[in-house]
Amino acid sequence: MNTRHPLGDAPIGQLLLAHYARRDALRHATPLFPSSWSECFAPFRNARLQPLRAAAPAPRGHDDDAAVCQAG
């Protein structure tokens, strides 16, 4: 019976080194700070454009608390 491991024959250390190398490359490619003023202010701009979403009450579905709080 010839069964192969799904990760191959490489030792786990070699697999981890490849994983860490890919993760490190991604971390170095991602900027830590925004590259423009537009990116800096985007969260604030999005919040200003969506004032109703934050102020609107959440739709009420099945209310379990009402049944628990009733005196019976």
Side-chain angles (χ1 to χ4, degrees):
M1 181 171 183
N2 187 6
T3 59
R4 291 193 46 129
H5 194 273
L7 297 176
D9 293 332
I12 191 68
Q14 291 297 108
L15 296 172
L16 286 175
L17 285 176
H19 166 74
Y20 291 139
R22 286 191 305 269
R23 187 179 73 173
D24 196 41
L26 178 67
R27 288 177 61 210
H28 285 288
T30 306
L32 295 177
F33 296 103
S35 59
S36 68
W37 285 105
S38 177
E39 290 180 14
C40 290
F41 294 115
F44 302 109
R45 184 174 50 250
N46 291 340
R48 190 179 71 223
L49 293 176
Q50 300 293 331
L52 297 177
R53 183 181 297 170
R60 296 200 53 134
H62 182 68
D63 195 7
D64 292 330
D65 291 337
V68 171
C69 296
Q70 290 178 351

